[in-house]
Amino acid sequence: MKLIDLHTHSTASDGTLPPAQVALAAAQAGLSAVALTDHDTTQGLAEFLEAAASSGPELVPGVELSVDRPGGGSMHMVGLWVDHEEPRFKQGLERVQTARKQRNPKIVARLQELGVDITMDEVVAAAGRGQVGRPHFAQVLVDKGVVAGPGEAFGRFLKRGAPAYMEKERLNPSQAMELIRGAGGISVLAHPGLLELHPAALEELVKGLKEQGLMGIEAYYSEHNPATERRLLEMAARLGLAVSGGSDFHGHNKPGIRLGAGKGTLRVPASLLAGLKQARDALSG
Ligand code: AMP
Ligand code: ZN
Ligand code: FE
Ligand code: FE
């Protein structure tokens, strides 16, 4: 069976492989297609798309946007086949970048109040050339021996509800889907299983999103168990949504997750591409 991976991260956000190497690794894994979907940024896409080789996988330009979750908190929307040069889409991402830049120093200040010796410069250094995200704060905390590992960093300090968690302004789902659509892409609800909603509540949420432009759901995902995967496939069929899937590969930042194979058992069939492209082409038609 031919396989694809439509959810990956590079050094442009919080992954550890540069964008071109994500494309290369996908070729080595024998994948038919791979999407780069960095968090809230398309900075890696030019390099990623240039890595195209005649025999390599189809390279899909993407993004993963954090959006408001109805009832509080956030959820993730993946955009596939986005034109990252489209002006309004670019502007939208710039607003998101600003929100992030306003949040990050607040996390540092809070950690300092909690008695942790940390500076913004150290976090920026941990992010390298990429965008600063919470995993980089976690990395600094680990390097300094404040915590034993990233899990403890999130649990004690960084996760929602923990003392150094700081809200950042986010797009609402309809704004995000509009930006993605305006850039020629399709919107897919990322890892619905992680929302931990009762099946009926999840279906209500997805129905509402579909009315606002949602085109697909990520049924295949590293953290979905077989029962969740099956329920999501059934839901997509019932609601007339396309099905997507990916590993959420982050390189060494998520050591258990392999490109195209997740924790070793993920299989995202290349046959999904047809339905996703049909959804994409229906938008421009
Ligand atoms: P940010 O976009 O800067 O708020 O960071 C979000 C990223 O942090 C997510 O994409 C995950 O990679 C990571 N993350 C969020 N929550 C946790 C957690 N509880 N444990 C480990 N990593 C997490
Ligand atoms: Zn991430
Ligand atoms: Fe996500
Ligand atoms: Fe992701």
Side-chain angles (χ1 to χ4, degrees):
M1 182 167 73
K2 285 188 183 304
L3 300 177
I4 58 177
D5 191 336
L6 300 181
H7 187 153
T8 73
H9 297 270
S10 75
T11 48
S13 64
D14 55 359
T16 57
L17 284 190
Q21 290 201 33
V22 173
L24 255 172
Q28 275 158 9
L31 300 181
S32 305
V34 60
L36 183 67
T37 56
D38 276 308
H39 298 284
D40 295 335
T41 181
T42 54
Q43 288 294 326
L45 289 181
E47 178 188 321
F48 175 70
L49 294 173
E50 272 174 25
S54 52
S55 61
E58 178 175 346
L59 302 178
V60 179
V63 70
E64 182 178 21
L65 298 175
S66 294
V67 301
D68 288 325
R69 173 177 175 172
S74 70
M75 57 186 190
H76 291 170
M77 193 66 73
V78 162
L80 298 174
W81 289 289
V82 290
D83 169 9
H84 60 286
E85 304 287 3
E86 198 277 322
R88 287 198 43 206
F89 179 70
K90 267 172 86 168
Q91 258 174 33
L93 284 186
E94 276 159 24
R95 282 212 310 278
V96 168
Q97 295 299 323
T98 304
R100 193 174 274 279
K101 283 183 188 134
Q102 286 168 345
R103 177 201 66 170
N104 290 336
K106 290 191 207 164
I107 299 181
V108 170
R110 188 76 189 104
L111 285 168
Q112 287 171 347
E113 276 171 30
L114 293 165
V116 178
D117 165 39
I118 187 171
T119 65
M120 195 60 218
D121 285 349
E122 290 167 336
V123 182
V124 170
R129 283 166 44 234
Q131 155 184 278
V132 173
R134 280 181 287 160
H136 304 115
F137 289 85
Q139 193 182 322
V140 173
L141 294 175
V142 174
D143 291 347
K144 295 192 153 211
V146 176
V147 293
E152 189 187 337
F154 274 93
R156 272 179 59 198
F157 296 109
L158 299 169
K159 72 170 191 202
R160 184 158 190 259
Y165 177 81
M166 294 288 150
E167 277 295 344
K168 69 175 173 345
E169 196 192 316
R170 281 181 294 265
L171 301 167
N172 65 45
S174 120
Q175 288 169 327
M177 291 189 286
E178 228 176 274
L179 289 173
I180 289 168
R181 179 179 182 151
I186 59 167
S187 294
V188 169
L189 181 63
H191 40 66
L194 299 192
L195 294 172
E196 293 185 335
L197 284 172
H198 186 277
L202 178 62
E203 187 145 341
E204 275 315 296
L205 171 71
V206 172
K207 268 188 191 164
L209 292 172
K210 189 184 179 221
E211 280 164 19
Q212 300 175 349
L214 188 75
M215 302 301 283
I217 58 175
E218 194 173 62
Y220 298 93
Y221 184 71
S222 294
E223 310 282 345
H224 287 168
N225 62 37
T228 301
E229 183 180 291
R230 182 165 32 79
R231 250 190 304 109
L232 290 168
L233 289 171
E234 287 165 5
M235 185 189 296
R238 224 174 12 250
L239 300 183
L241 288 163
V243 172
S244 186
S247 64
D248 214 353
F249 175 74
H250 279 68
H252 300 309
N253 279 347
K254 285 194 183 176
I257 305 232
R258 281 155 46 197
L259 190 68
K263 293 178 170 171
T265 54
L266 182 75
R267 300 286 177 271
V268 187
S271 56
L272 298 181
L273 279 175
L276 291 162
K277 285 180 178 173
Q278 200 175 19
R280 175 197 66 186
D281 297 341
L283 288 180
S284 52

Coordinates of all heavy atoms in Angstrom, one line a residue, residues 164-213:
A164 N 2.9 28.8 34.6 CA 3.5 29.7 33.7 C 2.8 29.7 32.3 O 3.3 30.1 31.3 CB 5.0 29.4 33.5
Y165 N 1.5 29.1 32.3 CA 0.8 29.1 31.0 C 0.2 30.5 30.8 O -0.3 31.2 31.7 CB -0.4 28.2 31.1 CG -1.3 28.2 29.9 CD1 -0.9 27.5 28.7 CD2 -2.4 28.9 29.8 CE1 -1.7 27.6 27.6 CE2 -3.2 29.0 28.7 CZ -2.8 28.3 27.6 OH -3.6 28.4 26.4
M166 N 0.4 31.1 29.7 CA -0.1 32.4 29.3 C -0.9 32.3 28.1 O -0.4 31.7 27.1 CB 1.1 33.4 29.1 CG 1.9 33.7 30.3 SD 1.0 34.7 31.5 CE 1.7 34.1 33.0
E167 N -2.1 32.9 28.1 CA -2.9 32.9 26.9 C -2.3 33.7 25.8 O -1.6 34.7 26.1 CB -4.3 33.4 27.2 CG -5.3 32.5 27.9 CD -5.7 31.3 27.0 OE1 -5.5 31.4 25.7 OE2 -6.2 30.3 27.5
K168 N -2.5 33.3 24.6 CA -2.2 34.2 23.5 C -3.4 34.4 22.6 O -4.3 33.5 22.5 CB -1.0 33.8 22.7 CG -1.1 32.5 21.8 CD 0.2 32.4 21.1 CE 0.4 31.1 20.3 NZ -0.5 30.0 20.4
E169 N -3.5 35.6 22.0 CA -4.7 35.9 21.2 C -4.6 34.9 20.0 O -3.6 34.7 19.4 CB -4.5 37.3 20.7 CG -5.8 37.9 20.1 CD -5.5 39.2 19.4 OE1 -4.7 40.0 20.0 OE2 -6.0 39.4 18.3
R170 N -5.8 34.3 19.7 CA -5.8 33.3 18.5 C -6.9 33.8 17.6 O -7.8 34.5 17.9 CB -6.2 32.0 19.1 CG -5.1 31.1 19.7 CD -5.7 29.8 20.2 NE -6.7 29.9 21.3 CZ -6.3 29.9 22.6 NH1 -5.1 29.6 22.9 NH2 -7.3 30.0 23.5
L171 N -6.8 33.2 16.4 CA -7.8 33.3 15.4 C -9.0 32.5 15.9 O -8.8 31.5 16.6 CB -7.4 32.7 14.0 CG -6.1 33.4 13.4 CD1 -5.6 32.5 12.2 CD2 -6.5 34.8 12.9
N172 N -10.2 32.8 15.4 CA -11.3 31.9 15.7 C -11.4 31.0 14.5 O -10.8 31.2 13.4 CB -12.6 32.6 16.0 CG -13.2 33.4 14.8 OD1 -13.2 32.9 13.7 ND2 -13.6 34.6 15.1
P173 N -12.1 29.8 14.6 CA -12.0 28.8 13.5 C -12.4 29.4 12.2 O -11.8 29.1 11.1 CB -13.0 27.7 14.0 CG -13.1 27.9 15.5 CD -12.8 29.3 15.8
S174 N -13.5 30.2 12.2 CA -14.0 30.7 10.9 C -13.0 31.6 10.2 O -12.8 31.6 9.0 CB -15.4 31.3 11.1 OG -15.4 32.6 10.7
Q175 N -12.3 32.5 11.0 CA -11.2 33.3 10.5 C -10.1 32.4 9.9 O -9.6 32.7 8.8 CB -10.6 34.2 11.6 CG -11.5 35.3 12.1 CD -10.9 36.0 13.3 OE1 -10.2 35.3 14.1 NE2 -11.1 37.3 13.4
A176 N -9.7 31.4 10.6 CA -8.6 30.6 10.1 C -9.0 29.9 8.8 O -8.2 29.8 7.8 CB -8.3 29.5 11.2
M177 N -10.2 29.3 8.8 CA -10.7 28.6 7.6 C -10.8 29.6 6.4 O -10.5 29.2 5.2 CB -12.0 27.9 7.8 CG -11.7 26.7 8.8 SD -13.1 25.6 9.0 CE -14.2 26.6 10.0
E178 N -11.2 30.8 6.7 CA -11.3 31.8 5.6 C -9.9 32.1 5.0 O -9.8 32.3 3.8 CB -11.9 33.1 6.2 CG -13.1 33.6 5.4 CD -13.7 34.8 6.1 OE1 -14.5 34.6 7.0 OE2 -13.2 36.0 5.9
L179 N -9.0 32.3 5.9 CA -7.6 32.6 5.4 C -7.1 31.5 4.6 O -6.5 31.7 3.5 CB -6.7 32.9 6.6 CG -6.9 34.1 7.4 CD1 -6.0 34.1 8.7 CD2 -6.6 35.4 6.6
I180 N -7.3 30.3 5.0 CA -6.8 29.1 4.3 C -7.5 29.0 3.0 O -6.8 28.8 1.9 CB -7.0 27.8 5.2 CG1 -6.1 27.8 6.4 CG2 -6.8 26.5 4.3 CD1 -6.4 26.7 7.4
R181 N -8.7 29.2 3.0 CA -9.5 29.1 1.7 C -9.1 30.2 0.7 O -8.9 29.9 -0.5 CB -11.0 29.2 2.0 CG -11.8 29.1 0.7 CD -13.3 29.2 1.0 NE -13.9 29.1 -0.3 CZ -15.1 28.6 -0.5 NH1 -15.8 28.2 0.5 NH2 -15.7 28.6 -1.7
G182 N -8.9 31.4 1.3 CA -8.4 32.5 0.5 C -7.1 32.2 -0.2 O -6.8 32.8 -1.2
A183 N -6.3 31.4 0.5 CA -5.0 31.1 -0.1 C -5.0 29.8 -0.9 O -4.0 29.2 -1.2 CB -4.0 30.9 1.1
G184 N -6.2 29.4 -1.3 CA -6.4 28.2 -2.2 C -6.3 26.9 -1.5 O -6.3 25.8 -2.2
G185 N -6.3 26.9 -0.2 CA -6.1 25.6 0.6 C -7.4 25.1 1.1 O -8.4 25.7 1.0
I186 N -7.3 23.9 1.7 CA -8.5 23.3 2.4 C -8.2 23.2 3.8 O -7.0 22.9 4.3 CB -8.9 21.9 1.8 CG1 -7.7 20.9 1.9 CG2 -9.3 22.0 0.4 CD1 -8.2 19.5 1.6
S187 N -9.2 23.3 4.6 CA -9.1 23.2 6.1 C -9.5 21.8 6.6 O -10.5 21.3 6.2 CB -10.0 24.2 6.8 OG -9.6 25.5 6.4
V188 N -8.6 21.3 7.5 CA -8.8 20.0 8.0 C -8.7 20.1 9.5 O -7.7 20.7 10.0 CB -7.7 19.0 7.5 CG1 -7.7 17.7 8.3 CG2 -7.9 18.8 6.0
L189 N -9.7 19.6 10.3 CA -9.6 19.6 11.7 C -8.5 18.6 12.2 O -8.6 17.4 11.9 CB -10.9 19.3 12.4 CG -10.9 19.3 13.9 CD1 -10.6 20.7 14.5 CD2 -12.2 18.8 14.5
A190 N -7.5 19.1 12.8 CA -6.3 18.2 13.2 C -6.7 17.4 14.4 O -7.5 17.8 15.3 CB -5.1 19.1 13.6
H191 N -6.2 16.2 14.5 CA -6.3 15.3 15.6 C -7.5 15.5 16.5 O -7.4 15.8 17.7 CB -5.0 15.3 16.5 CG -4.4 16.7 16.7 ND1 -5.1 17.6 17.4 CD2 -3.3 17.2 16.3 CE1 -4.3 18.7 17.5 NE2 -3.2 18.5 16.8
P192 N -8.7 15.2 15.9 CA -10.0 15.4 16.7 C -10.0 14.5 17.9 O -10.6 14.9 18.9 CB -11.1 15.0 15.7 CG -10.5 15.0 14.3 CD -9.0 14.7 14.5
G193 N -9.3 13.4 17.9 CA -9.3 12.5 19.1 C -8.7 13.2 20.3 O -9.1 12.8 21.5
L194 N -7.8 14.1 20.1 CA -7.2 14.8 21.3 C -8.1 15.8 22.0 O -7.8 16.3 23.0 CB -5.9 15.5 20.8 CG -4.8 14.7 20.2 CD1 -3.5 15.6 20.1 CD2 -4.5 13.5 21.0
L195 N -9.2 16.1 21.3 CA -10.2 17.0 22.0 C -10.9 16.3 23.1 O -11.5 17.0 24.0 CB -11.2 17.5 20.9 CG -10.6 18.4 19.8 CD1 -11.7 18.7 18.7 CD2 -10.1 19.7 20.4
E196 N -10.8 15.0 23.2 CA -11.4 14.2 24.2 C -12.9 14.6 24.5 O -13.3 14.8 25.6 CB -10.6 14.4 25.5 CG -9.2 13.7 25.4 CD -8.4 13.7 26.6 OE1 -8.6 14.6 27.5 OE2 -7.5 12.8 26.7
L197 N -13.6 14.7 23.4 CA -15.1 15.0 23.5 C -15.8 13.7 23.3 O -15.4 12.8 22.7 CB -15.5 15.9 22.3 CG -15.1 17.4 22.5 CD1 -15.4 18.2 21.2 CD2 -15.8 18.0 23.7
H198 N -17.0 13.6 23.9 CA -17.9 12.6 23.7 C -18.3 12.6 22.2 O -18.4 13.6 21.6 CB -19.2 12.9 24.6 CG -20.2 11.8 24.5 ND1 -21.1 11.6 23.5 CD2 -20.4 10.8 25.4 CE1 -21.9 10.6 23.8 NE2 -21.5 10.0 24.9
P199 N -18.4 11.4 21.6 CA -18.6 11.3 20.2 C -19.7 12.2 19.7 O -19.6 12.9 18.6 CB -19.0 9.8 19.9 CG -18.3 9.1 21.0 CD -18.3 10.0 22.2
A200 N -20.8 12.3 20.4 CA -22.0 13.2 19.9 C -21.5 14.6 20.0 O -21.9 15.4 19.1 CB -23.2 12.9 20.8
A201 N -20.8 15.0 21.0 CA -20.4 16.4 21.1 C -19.4 16.8 20.0 O -19.4 17.9 19.5 CB -19.8 16.7 22.5
L202 N -18.5 15.8 19.7 CA -17.5 16.0 18.7 C -18.2 16.2 17.3 O -17.9 17.1 16.5 CB -16.5 14.9 18.6 CG -15.5 15.0 17.5 CD1 -14.6 16.2 17.6 CD2 -14.6 13.7 17.4
E203 N -19.2 15.4 17.1 CA -20.0 15.5 15.8 C -20.7 16.8 15.7 O -20.7 17.4 14.6 CB -20.9 14.3 15.7 CG -21.6 14.3 14.3 CD -21.9 12.9 13.8 OE1 -21.3 11.9 14.3 OE2 -22.7 12.8 12.8
E204 N -21.2 17.3 16.8 CA -21.8 18.7 16.8 C -20.8 19.7 16.4 O -21.1 20.6 15.6 CB -22.4 19.0 18.2 CG -23.8 18.5 18.4 CD -24.8 18.7 17.2 OE1 -25.0 19.9 16.9 OE2 -25.2 17.7 16.5
L205 N -19.7 19.6 17.1 CA -18.6 20.6 16.8 C -18.2 20.6 15.3 O -18.1 21.6 14.6 CB -17.4 20.3 17.7 CG -16.1 21.1 17.4 CD1 -16.2 22.5 17.8 CD2 -14.9 20.5 18.1
V206 N -18.0 19.3 14.8 CA -17.5 19.2 13.4 C -18.6 19.7 12.4 O -18.3 20.3 11.4 CB -17.1 17.7 13.1 CG1 -16.8 17.5 11.7 CG2 -15.9 17.3 14.0
K207 N -19.8 19.4 12.7 CA -20.9 19.9 11.9 C -20.9 21.4 11.8 O -21.1 22.0 10.7 CB -22.3 19.4 12.4 CG -22.8 18.1 11.9 CD -24.2 17.9 12.5 CE -24.7 16.5 12.2 NZ -25.9 16.2 13.0
G208 N -20.8 22.0 12.9 CA -20.7 23.5 13.0 C -19.5 24.0 12.2 O -19.7 25.0 11.4
L209 N -18.4 23.4 12.3 CA -17.2 23.8 11.5 C -17.4 23.6 10.1 O -17.0 24.4 9.2 CB -16.0 23.0 12.0 CG -15.5 23.3 13.4 CD1 -14.4 22.3 13.8 CD2 -15.0 24.7 13.6
K210 N -18.1 22.5 9.7 CA -18.4 22.3 8.3 C -19.2 23.4 7.7 O -19.0 23.9 6.5 CB -19.1 21.0 8.1 CG -19.2 20.6 6.6 CD -19.9 19.3 6.3 CE -19.9 19.1 4.8 NZ -21.2 18.6 4.3
E211 N -20.2 23.9 8.4 CA -21.0 25.0 8.0 C -20.1 26.3 7.7 O -20.5 27.2 6.9 CB -22.1 25.4 9.0 CG -23.3 24.4 8.8 CD -24.2 24.4 10.0 OE1 -24.2 25.4 10.8 OE2 -25.0 23.5 10.2
Q212 N -19.0 26.4 8.4 CA -18.1 27.5 8.3 C -17.0 27.2 7.3 O -16.1 28.1 7.2 CB -17.5 27.9 9.6 CG -18.6 28.3 10.7 CD -17.9 28.5 12.0 OE1 -16.8 28.2 12.3 NE2 -18.7 29.0 12.9
G213 N -17.0 26.1 6.6 CA -16.0 25.9 5.6 C -15.0 24.7 5.8 O -14.1 24.5 5.0

